[in-house]
Amino acid sequence: MKEFALYTGCTTPVRLPAYEASVKIVLEKLGIRLTLMKDANCCGAQYVESLSHTAFCAMSGRVIALAESMNLDVLAICGACSGSLKTVKHDLDNNPKLCAEVNELLAEEGLKYTGTSEVKHLLQIFREDIGYEAIKSAIVKPYSGLRLAAHYGCHVTRPPEIVKVDDAENPTIIDRIIELAGATAVDYTGKTRCCGGPMLAMDADVATRIGLDKIKNIREEDVDGIITACEFCDIQLTQVQFDDLAEQGVSKIPVIPLPQFLGPALGINFDKLGIYLNKIDPKTILQKV
Amino acid sequence: MAQASSCWGCFQSLIDIHMNLATVLPALEIKFWVCVVDYKLADLEGYPDKSIAVGLFEGVVRTEEDLHLLKTMRAKCQTLISFGSCSCFGGIPGLANFSDIEECLDVKFRENKTVSGGEVPSENVPAILPVIKPNHDYVDFDIFLPGCPPTSKLILTAVTALLKGEPIELEPHTVCHYCDREKKDTPVEKILRPFDGNADPDRCLLEQGYICVGSATWGLCEGLCVNMGSTCRGCYGPPPPIMQDQGANAMSMLGTYAPLPPEEIKEQVKDPLGLFNRFTYATSHLGSIRIKREEAKKK
Amino acid sequence: MTKNEVKEKPAVSHTPSSDFAKEVEQEYGGEGIMKCIQCGMCTASCMVASMTDRYRPRQLIQKILLGKREEVLTSDLPWLCMTCRLCEERCQEDVNLSEIFHAVREIAAREGHIPKVFQSTVDQVLEDGWLLKDAYSDFIEEDREDLGLDTDLNWNDEFVKKVKKRYLSGGNKK
Amino acid sequence: MSDTKEEPRIGVFVCHCGHNIAGVVDVVSVAEMARDLPNVVFSTDEMFMCSDAGQVLIKEKVKEHNLNRVVVASCSPRMHEPTFRRVVEEVDVNRYLFDQVNLREHVSWCHTREPVKATEKAKDLVRMSVARAAKLENLPIKTVNVLPKTMVVGGGIAGLRSSLDIAERGFDVVLVEKDTQLGGNVAKWTHLFPSDESGAQVIGPLIAAVRKHKRIKIHLNSKVSDFDGYIGNFEVTIKNLSSEKETKVNIGTVIVSTGFEAFKPVGYYSYTKSPNIITLAELQEMPPAQMLIRPSDGKPVKKMVFIGCVGSREPGKIGHEHCSRHCCSATAKAAADLRDDVDESLVLYQDIRTYGKGHEEFHRLARQKHVIYSKFPTDAHPNVEVAADGDIRIRWFDVLAGSELEFHPDLVVLASAMIPPDDMAETAKMFSLTRSGDGFFNPEHIKLAPLTTHTAGVMIAGAAQAAKNASEAVIDASGAAAKAVGLMAQGEVEIESTVSHVISDLCSSCHTCVTACPYGAIIMDEEQTPPVAFVQEAKCKGCGTCAAACPSSAIVMYHSTDEQILTMVEAYLCTTPEPEGGGSA
Amino acid sequence: MSENKPNSALVIGGGVAGITAALDIASQGFKVYLVERNPSIGGVMAQIDKTFPTLDCSACILTPKLSEVSRHKNIEILTYSEVGSVTGSAGDFHVRVKRKARYVNEDVCTGCGDCAEECPVEVANEFDLNIGFRKAIYVPFPQATPNVYTVDKENCIDCGRCVKACQRNAIDLDMKDTTLEFHVGAIIIATGFQLYDITDYPRLGYGHYANVIHAMEFERLINAAGPTHGHLIRLGDGKTPKSIGFIQCVGARDVQKGVPYCSRVCCMYSIKNAVMALEHNTDGEVWVYYADIRAFGKGFEEFYEMAKKRFGVKFIRGRVAEVMEGKKTGNLVIRVEDTETAEVRLIEHDLIVISPGVVPPIGMDTMAKKMGIEQSDDGYIQAEHTFFGPTETKTPGVFVCGCAEGPKDIPDSVSAGSAAAMKATIVLSQGGT
Amino acid sequence: MTTEPTETTNENEEWEPRIVAYCCNWCSYAGADLAGTSRIQYPTNARILRVNCTGRLSPEFILAALDMGADGVLVSGCHPGDCHYTSGNLKARARWAMMETAIEQAGVDPRRVRLQWASASEAQLFADGVREITEQVKELGPIRSEWK
């Protein structure tokens, strides 16, 4: 049984605990053991990252060093965290000076970054550590007649040469899993575009419109739901549908984190997956089995 | 021998055979020659068709009467000769086509500078035709003997051959063939008017810049003018095949000799039609267009 | 002078300089700036640009290349990049725009040009060790409990303080 | 000339050229119309006459219907006349009994939106061609020997390369250079942007090899003063410009590689108003030095600017409409190389055309080395002013940043156009070459015959044909050499039989034709009395000026007789109205 | 045999460069083996509809060359053949050529087409970029040289109907590949290029959206002898496209895709195609999206101006980020920044034509390695020196011309073909010394 | 040459001038080819006759065409100084000067004939020339109308 250090990031535990819960239960069902990282810190994405690259490296570096101290690879379920940890790992691995600098700081608490722990995003676990075959054989209640749009999230897949999660231009993991679960994966315009979330701080209006544009493109394909792999994206794509700018008089499209979608197909009950917490109720569609 | 509108010069030239007339005349039986023998038109009309061996037709058809005479001659003669450049090409009278018939009548009668209150005569005169068409547009000729006038020598040659029943052998060469002047094959540098300077007596006049249309003119005259020091004005019309446009040929020739800027040429050649088609306007392309225009006007 | 040369214009014109581009190039992440050939692929790819006229990543790069240092650093333009990297993925000259803009932000930050929201968020994170301490309410704690999740989130706030002290006290230093 | 005056039996073949003709012209009705024309015994339409199928069709029908004249109504004869002439020859029809109607370039392509009128025009043209065909006559096919010697005009990089290749291949070369030394523009350049070599490094070995080669005879400081004769047998007079000594040489082929001149952009960007505003060519000619120095005072250049497209790409300005091709890459390389010497370097451009192999890398290198590229608007070029104190101020609008910019450089380098040398017109006239809008020579065909010209036996190479860089000129040069050698190796070549002929019986010795002929091809045959004109056929190039000039109609221009021309006019203008068809059979 | 230095040359590749080289060598009296792997010579130029900048019809100007080659007594055309191995050195190379079984006797076949009429198998025609169809026994295009049929054994069902149909008994379905061996003194590589595989750019929708096509497909669509008989239509729904967008620099000038160099021809062929589109549909509109317009050859800039001024082709300086398909219309919307105004634009077109860049052809690596010819970083044949040997390879006696050395337009390929021929004949005339 | 010209146009159709265009092979014929390949559109009225050089043209060819009923005649050649045969066009030009005067003398509007220079690359110029003479002649009406 494979084991990972689960790094939830700042947002998931607070804003989307159901995602965290569904990750744990689904991965467990598929034979992955997770150990929650304790005493972690924010990865530093976007904000610290913008002000000081070194500070950013120190922060993400410490998270990885923590995992190293646990002798585990890191599982990041947040796109931003996954992106940060992977980029920083890449930087530290390729820049001894930077690495030394970070380690100097880490040494104060007995940590050391050595580069031995991998950082993986949830999607990688599905593809590489569990595998499509295993997922397929674990499906007990396949969906039917469900049309779903996959949203991968920018930092999950880009920059591809560093994150190495999926083909950045033509990602497939979520789509594959949607199909494995018996639903139909629907392509749509602007699939690899951003949800707009990172823009919220600087210009909420623009951020919302970016998110709504995505919703519009997805809606054109007449889908039942959106499957995500990052809580930021999930929240953003949900929130924008409640915005004043959103198209009125149409039903909202449920936004569902991938494990929450996969859970029922594996026979996990809705409550354990926290589906009742979802802001746009996906129950009706998830019952299409 | 018949005569339409003309200056009678051709028959004069015939008479100029002088003593040779003595050998020729006895062999002839003159059936019609208004100025020489007292036959009337009615006599001519009275002959059976094709009863006359040879007919010479001088002058151009200007009036209804001329036309009738021409047609009658054609009907009565076995061989009809177009005699002189007027008959062959319209000649000098053909230049009347520069103006339409009303303009001609104005000049001749109505606004004649020597007559006041002149009017176009209408009684006892044959009706005038609106335009001068080449005679051969009315009837076919068997032989063309151009010249203004044809030289006596040429006439004698022709008459002698006719009497012998032989074909008339005419050299096809142009005037240049007979010209004794020297050619240096240099292009014309400046076109000169006849009054400009003095020409080198031994050198080609054209090369010196004087417009000589000898090269575009049938040399039946055997270089009469050019060897006398004068430029050729083209009175024999184009060489065989003689229904070429003499003016067009001359312009083409001169343009080749004198590839000068167009302004210069226009300045020096003010009257190309008069220069190059002096005797052949009626049979030239431009003349033909003019004729068609006048005819259309009539309709 | 050809006839269609520009007319006399009173507008203050800028004198191009490569200094700023060199400065950005020296900064971490800014190395690729000189590769840009201004094809516009980034702007066309950029969702922010498609939603607002203010932001044109290509033009921002050109301004840097022309050495419009003050204009760039004092504006919020470098901060408008979502770092979604869609442009980078497509850039045919392999320009890493988001990293370049991070580099520019770092320079701006050192000189005190930080958008408020960035400053306050950073302050928060470097105080609490994580982003949402204030938002972690009892309701959420209950939800977590219901889902069988840990309610003690266990974030470390010591390290970030060290980081702040070392790298980001008083604006930041390199 | 025609020994056989048999009854014309004409076959008419109307080509669809796919959609090209048939899309506009009703080719079927054209073919039907032709069927009823006098002397036409067969008429059809076909998808592609030039294809194998089309060619086979002609041959089959010639045999089947015993045709002795063929009219193909298709594209421009300038394109396919040789093809069809060959086809008819294969079935024993003399090539001069073929006539082609241009229904594509002259009808369908230029009357796209008027199908009815275009079809009318097509019918007229076919009728005219059929009338002409009936009057066409057999002409003999003539071959001439090709002297195994080439004259190369111009001793620049292209001329040197051509000379050397031909000599190495075993043929003699006469190399004529008007300058006192070999090497052309390249030799003058201390920097040969966009390469790493200096001009001397590139041209030196070539010059040495050319000088050493025993098959190459070099005439320096010389010009061709007279050029006579015809393919394979040219008679050339080479005149030494200082001694005025003339040398006559007989040669078989010619390569014109007279190169280009760097445009001196007087009137552009204050050129000539400051010694510090120079052209790219002048930059390339600057003596090698430790530092790039300012021409005005020898001080090191700190700030420099390159401006692109100077005297190039100016729509509507004759001779300056073309792109000069080499400058973008050369500028990129120059800017990159010199960037180390200066504090700031700018390139002001419209489009960056670093198309060549490795050239994009120069462009990238220049940028990498902090050369600032700034695009100015096509309709508002930079303004360059020189102040009284010599300060140069450039102002322009950067399209891509949307900002007004200003710069005070020490040195301005104008990437000026490649234009033809000032004696280009003279050279064109000498070798009967035509020139295109860019002022350079027209090749025989811009796509497939870029090295040969319409003057048989005369090739062009390098920048004589169009703006080119040195490497491209070298390739051209070898290619042109191949064309020359091809002719010489065969030893003989077919020539056109379309020459003038004097009917001596009709000649009146007026000498008009002698004066008319630009080639001195007509002389007086002194054997006859009086002497009559006589055409030396080998010298005759077939312009027909003499035929037009001869007032005695004594000159026949074969294949372009008065009758053949006028019959076409007549067929156009004097048609009897077509009898209306009485319904379908 | 190798005592006497061979008086012949090998030209590999029967495109316009190879054809020119072959003719120029043959005209000097040397024998030429012209090896082409396709059933006909003609290369890419045969597929093109019109050529820039004169809009000459490509087939029209090429056909005379093809027939000249086929008629030339000194040229032996070996189509449907590949060079197996080359040994020896300048002046005396020993060449093995694999002649693929064509299943039709070249000497007997007259190209009458009776066989194809009978053939019951229809497959996509690769000459028409698989837009049209051909039979399993086929000639690739009407002007094919040699004009003989070839059986495509992969698709042939061995029904034998063609064999019966052929009155000249030219078809032999049991034919085997053969090997031909000969000596040559010089070799010219003229293997040409292929287009970049643009499915590598999913954002542009090629292969995904029916109305996104590439330039060569466009050439076939507007070609009178092409699958639509020259009618420019959308393959998605047969509609006539009113608005067409041309996207430049795809698979060219793209560092990330490993094609950092300029392909030299795309700007011009797109301008030409833009003009042709308007020629086919005069009330349509055409947009070209570019980064730099590289109209550098003779008459090119003038042509570009003409396209702008007279035909009203709209040029936008900006690379296209993505192509999106309208759901019901099948129309396509492109996202681009007009960099001259900094405006982000969404422009709707009925048809998108992508201009793929030029890359070395499949098999170039293998061939070069087999022959020991040095390649440049980008995979083309490395020329010996820009000035001293632009058509020479690093191997003496082996020359290169046309796009085998790097992207080139037709006149540049033709010049290089002649130049390579010159160099080769020098070797031949000197016996390799 | 005396063949009667015939009307090809029906009375009620719009009258279209008939124009004979002599083009030299090297410049204007090629220019006309280029006009075609460049898809430059111009009136259909001119029928191009290819001659090697404008020097080949005697005024005869132009005048005969008019005589046969051409409403206009266009002669197009290489620019003076650019003749493929050195100077044929200069001779044509000199002939033209005389012919033009003669035409006027004969009462034919000289605007029916046009001499122009268009090189092989001046397709537009060529097309413009055709357009110009066509329009000019249209204005003048059929050559026959000159005598109506």
Side-chain angles (χ1 to χ4, degrees), chain D residues 76-78 81 102 105-106 109-112 117 121 124 432 454 516 519 542-543 548 560 562 570 572 575, chain F residues 3 6 16 18-19 22 25-26 29 32-33 36 40-44 46-47 50 52 55-56 84-85 91:
Chain D
S76 173
R78 292 170 59 83
E81 197 172 54
N102 189 343
E105 283 82 349
H106 289 187
W109 278 352
C110 52
H111 309 311
T112 320
K117 286 182 184 172
K121 179 170 175 180
D124 282 347
S432 293
H454 283 297
Y519 302 103
C543 66
S560 179
D562 289 10
E570 192 178 338
Y572 170 33
T575 50
Chain F
T3 322
T6 49
E16 284 291 343
R18 299 194 297 172
I19 293 164
Y22 295 104
N25 183 50
W26 305 100
Y29 194 91
D33 278 0
I40 296 172
Q41 303 293 307
Y42 56 88
T44 57
R47 306 286 177 266
R50 183 165 66 135
N52 269 356
R56 171 71 188 92
H84 181 76
Y85 301 106
K91 287 153 191 163

Side-chain angles (χ1 to χ4, degrees), chain D residues 66-138:
Chain D
N66 200 18
L67 305 175
N68 55 22
R69 305 279 193 284
V70 172
V71 169
V72 173
S74 54
C75 49
S76 173
R78 292 170 59 83
M79 172 108 63
H80 269 319
E81 197 172 54
T83 313
F84 294 119
R85 280 182 166 186
R86 180 184 51 70
V87 171
V88 299
E89 271 179 340
E90 284 172 11
V91 279
D92 297 324
V93 175
N94 183 277
R95 68 174 71 155
Y96 296 101
L97 299 179
F98 163 77
D99 199 52
Q100 192 169 0
V101 188
N102 189 343
L103 294 189
R104 198 176 64 177
E105 283 82 349
H106 289 187
V107 184
S108 63
W109 278 352
C110 52
H111 309 311
T112 320
R113 330 239 210 290
E114 298 174 282
V116 176
K117 286 182 184 172
T119 303
E120 266 318 300
K121 179 170 175 180
K123 286 179 179 172
D124 282 347
L125 291 175
V126 169
R127 201 168 54 241
M128 290 157 74
S129 175
V130 165
R132 171 177 158 85
K135 307 280 186 196
L136 290 175
E137 296 178 338
N138 273 334

Side-chain angles (χ1 to χ4, degrees), chain B residues 86-147:
Chain B
C86 292
S87 178
C88 292
F89 314 115
I92 297 290
L95 292 174
N97 282 356
F98 269 118
S99 313
D100 70 16
I101 189 64
E102 291 306 319
E103 286 164 356
C104 291
L105 295 173
D106 282 349
V107 174
K108 180 75 182 168
F109 301 106
R110 300 188 193 106
E111 284 152 30
N112 189 310
K113 294 207 173 98
T114 58
V115 179
S116 55
E119 52 184 52
V120 182
S122 55
E123 281 177 35
N124 297 324
V125 286
I128 207 153
L129 291 170
V131 66
I132 290 176
K133 280 171 55 162
N135 289 349
H136 55 79
D137 273 11
Y138 296 112
V139 301
D140 289 334
F141 288 94
D142 304 298
I143 295 166
F144 290 90
L145 276 185

Side-chain angles (χ1 to χ4, degrees), chain A residues 162-232:
Chain A
I162 290 172
V163 302
K164 296 189 174 78
V165 173
D166 204 338
D167 184 326
E169 292 187 61
N170 191 21
T172 55
I173 299 175
I174 300 179
D175 293 80
R176 282 288 293 273
I177 295 173
I178 289 172
E179 298 272 333
L180 286 176
T184 308
V186 180
D187 205 0
Y188 61 97
T189 299
K191 190 170 175 178
T192 60
R193 284 182 205 154
C194 183
C195 62
M199 199 61 204
L200 280 167
M202 283 301 287
D203 192 331
D205 184 56
V206 167
T208 303
R209 281 190 285 130
I210 293 171
L212 285 174
D213 186 62
K214 189 149 194 113
I215 296 294
K216 189 190 94 212
N217 287 333
I218 290 172
R219 196 183 291 285
E220 271 182 9
E221 301 299 334
D222 194 20
V223 302
D224 300 309
I226 303 167
I227 307 300
T228 61
C230 160
E231 82 292 346
F232 269 120

